[in-house]
Amino acid sequence: MTAPILDTPDFSVRNLWKVFGHKADKIPTDPAMAGLTGPEILERTGCVPAVRNMNFDVARGEVFVVMGLSGSGKSTLVRCLTRLIEPTAGQVLLSGQDIMKSSGSALRDIRRRRISMVFQHFGLLPHRSVLDNVAYGLQVRGMGKVERYERAHEVIELVGLHGYEKRFPDQLSGGMQQRVGLARALAGDPDVLLFDEPFSALDPLIRRDMQAEVIRLHRDMGKTMIFITHDLSEALKLGDRILIMRHGELVQIGTGDELVGAPADDYVADFVSEVPKADVLTLKWIARAALGLDATSAALPAGTVIRDAIPTVVGSATPVRVVDGNETIGMVTRDDILALIGSRSGKVSTNVAGQAVA
């Protein structure tokens, strides 16, 4: 994925709560609730804290993935971002604007023009063609017929549906229907795209194709994307950063290699335990002190994924330098690679030089 643009975040979430139940608004401000888990709050009060004191930023141009098991609160969270579900407390800032304070008309305008959602269930209008489904949101916005159809044709081409403009939803496969949903979301040229487990109902091969499509669209358009999933492999494939939820709370947030290399607790370690670490971690995680190493020896950037480094490291008769720019920050050997591949631990420990080893 492309790196996010470091600028004012497109989304800033501050102390966000969504509690279901009687007198739910009392829960966020009750000090007695602070030390309790979600299940404990449910047992004591009958209320369900689906999202609990959530804080994070999403940078402009970032693909930000929220993941967790069923019931973790991730879908509730994404709906709170546009107030499809009204949060109980907290702030949701869109480019610095608190949408919690937006009037009904202002909120509708945000949903029409600045944020689009792609859901698991496509929600296509069965009596409308692909072209009319894609153009529908532009029609609601009051765009003229010629202009909206011109734009609809552009995004249909973009998502690979050229030639299907006159088809109806029941004439399309699941993957093609989801492409229509994606085109409809893109038609209004929103600032942010929200995806709520959009591919979970698709067959594995179609799902893989749609993941590749999202990656391509992000590369071509640079849109900020917030992607909800329960699939770790999907999260690692798509996300610049990943937020893991449990019982409505943030457990850990970081890049894929940070989650795999330094899980915050046993829950995250168990989550990532089956991930092939060599496919995710980079050389910086296994580099150790480069003592007495010849400065002319082979070198690889610290950000090289370990799997990609294997031919160079295994084929070298001497340790390979790990470099950050012009600076040597450590070295790796064939034994370091083999130890990492053979490790089943969810964590990567550090050596005396403070660098990571398996």
Side-chain angles (χ1 to χ4, degrees), residues 31 39 57 64 86 133 148 183 205 231 240 253 259 262 274 314:
D57 292 325
F64 186 85
E86 283 289 344
N133 264 284
R148 70 174 180 261
L205 291 179
D231 185 329
D240 293 312
I253 185 171
L259 298 182
E274 298 302 317
V314 172

Side-chain angles (χ1 to χ4, degrees), residues 258-274:
E258 288 170 344
L259 298 182
V260 173
D265 60 14
D266 290 342
Y267 178 77
V268 180
D270 187 53
F271 234 115
V272 303
S273 62
E274 298 302 317

Side-chain angles (χ1 to χ4, degrees), residues 283-300:
L283 290 179
K284 70 178 182 180
W285 288 96
I286 60 170
R288 50 196 175 91
L291 302 176
L293 191 62
D294 188 342
T296 63
S297 61
L300 288 170

Side-chain angles (χ1 to χ4, degrees), residues 35 93 108 139 167 237 248:
L93 305 174
R108 285 192 294 273
Q139 180 181 352
R167 300 284 183 92
K237 184 175 183 178

Side-chain angles (χ1 to χ4, degrees), residues 19-24 27 38-39 41-49:
V19 183
F20 295 98
H22 182 59
K23 296 184 178 180
I27 302 297
I41 292 175
L42 173 61
E43 182 178 357
R44 181 171 298 189
T45 68
C47 292
V48 178

Side-chain angles (χ1 to χ4, degrees), residues 86 92 97 101 120 122 128 159-160 169 173 187 207 216 227 233 237 246 271 290 295 307 310 314 322 333 336 347-348:
E86 283 289 344
V92 178
Q97 173 190 355
K101 298 179 180 178
Q120 175 182 346
F122 318 124
R128 287 177 175 256
V159 302
S173 66
R207 181 172 188 161
R216 183 185 68 81
F227 199 100
S233 63
K237 184 175 183 178
R246 176 181 55 188
F271 234 115
R307 180 71 63 190
I310 289 176
V314 172
V322 178
T333 66
D336 297 324
K347 292 189 176 183
V348 176

Side-chain angles (χ1 to χ4, degrees), residues 301-345:
T304 305
V305 175
I306 291 170
R307 180 71 63 190
D308 297 335
I310 289 176
T312 300
V313 176
V314 172
S316 177
T318 60
V320 173
R321 290 183 299 127
V322 178
V323 298
D324 184 1
N326 294 323
E327 179 185 0
T328 298
I329 64 170
M331 69 178 188
V332 293
T333 66
R334 179 185 307 180
D335 289 342
D336 297 324
I337 297 285
L338 294 176
L340 185 282
I341 293 174
S343 173
R344 300 294 295 175
S345 170

Side-chain angles (χ1 to χ4, degrees), residues 15-339:
N15 308 117
L16 188 69
W17 289 74
K18 177 57 188 177
V19 183
F20 295 98
H22 182 59
K23 296 184 178 180
D25 59 317
K26 306 296 183 184
I27 302 297
T29 57
D30 187 348
M33 301 293 107
L36 300 181
T37 65
E40 289 170 339
I41 292 175
L42 173 61
E43 182 178 357
R44 181 171 298 189
T45 68
C47 292
V48 178
V51 175
R52 182 176 180 184
N53 199 30
M54 190 66 65
N55 292 273
F56 61 87
D57 292 325
V58 180
R60 188 163 299 162
E62 181 176 19
V63 179
F64 186 85
V65 176
V66 179
M67 69 167 301
L69 301 177
S70 296
S72 62
K74 56 189 185 296
S75 290
T76 300
L77 171 62
V78 76
R79 283 166 168 76
C80 283
L81 297 182
T82 56
R83 288 174 57 190
L84 290 176
I85 294 177
E86 283 289 344
T88 305
Q91 291 182 301
V92 178
L93 305 174
L94 177 61
S95 299
Q97 173 190 355
D98 189 355
I99 68 170
M100 294 296 292
K101 298 179 180 178
S102 297
S103 65
S105 60
L107 186 59
R108 285 192 294 273
D109 192 63
I110 287 171
R111 292 172 181 165
R112 288 175 180 172
R113 301 179 185 275
R114 301 191 61 189
I115 303 173
S116 288
M117 288 196 70
V118 181
F119 297 95
Q120 175 182 346
H121 302 291
F122 318 124
L124 303 181
L125 301 171
H127 61 288
R128 287 177 175 256
S129 67
V130 167
L131 182 64
D132 285 330
N133 264 284
V134 173
Y136 179 70
L138 302 177
Q139 180 181 352
V140 170
R141 285 169 54 170
M143 183 179 289
K145 184 175 182 179
V146 173
E147 186 180 1
R148 70 174 180 261
Y149 281 135
E150 182 178 325
R151 175 59 181 166
H153 278 293
E154 289 176 1
V155 293
I156 285 171
E157 180 82 30
L158 188 66
V159 302
L161 285 176
H162 177 67
Y164 292 88
E165 291 87 347
K166 296 182 180 180
R167 300 284 183 92
F168 288 86
D170 64 358
Q171 297 174 310
L172 304 176
S173 66
M176 294 175 72
Q177 289 183 47
Q178 192 57 283
R179 286 177 186 267
V180 178
L182 184 56
R184 183 176 55 190
L186 291 168
D189 194 25
D191 298 325
V192 181
L193 287 165
L194 305 181
F195 297 84
D196 187 10
E197 301 202 62
F199 310 143
S200 60
L202 301 178
D203 293 336
L205 291 179
I206 298 175
R207 181 172 188 161
R208 185 185 65 189
D209 290 344
M210 290 304 300
Q211 290 166 353
E213 188 71 14
V214 168
I215 293 171
R216 183 185 68 81
L217 288 171
H218 183 259
R219 183 185 62 243
D220 293 346
M221 304 180 73
K223 295 289 185 184
T224 302
M225 299 179 177
I226 301 177
F227 199 100
I228 307 299
T229 184
H230 63 270
D231 185 329
L232 180 60
S233 63
E234 185 167 75
L236 292 170
K237 184 175 183 178
L238 297 177
D240 293 312
R241 287 188 301 147
I242 301 167
L243 183 157
I244 295 183
M245 292 183 69
R246 176 181 55 188
H247 300 320
E249 294 186 273
L250 187 159
V251 181
Q252 186 172 358
I253 185 171
T255 60
D257 63 320
E258 288 170 344
L259 298 182
V260 173
D265 60 14
D266 290 342
Y267 178 77
V268 180
D270 187 53
F271 234 115
V272 303
S273 62
E274 298 302 317
V275 174
K277 290 188 280 296
D279 293 347
V280 178
L281 298 181
T282 57
L283 290 179
K284 70 178 182 180
W285 288 96
I286 60 170
R288 50 196 175 91
L291 302 176
L293 191 62
D294 188 342
T296 63
S297 61
L300 288 170
T304 305
V305 175
I306 291 170
R307 180 71 63 190
D308 297 335
I310 289 176
T312 300
V313 176
V314 172
S316 177
T318 60
V320 173
R321 290 183 299 127
V322 178
V323 298
D324 184 1
N326 294 323
E327 179 185 0
T328 298
I329 64 170
M331 69 178 188
V332 293
T333 66
R334 179 185 307 180
D335 289 342
D336 297 324
I337 297 285
L338 294 176

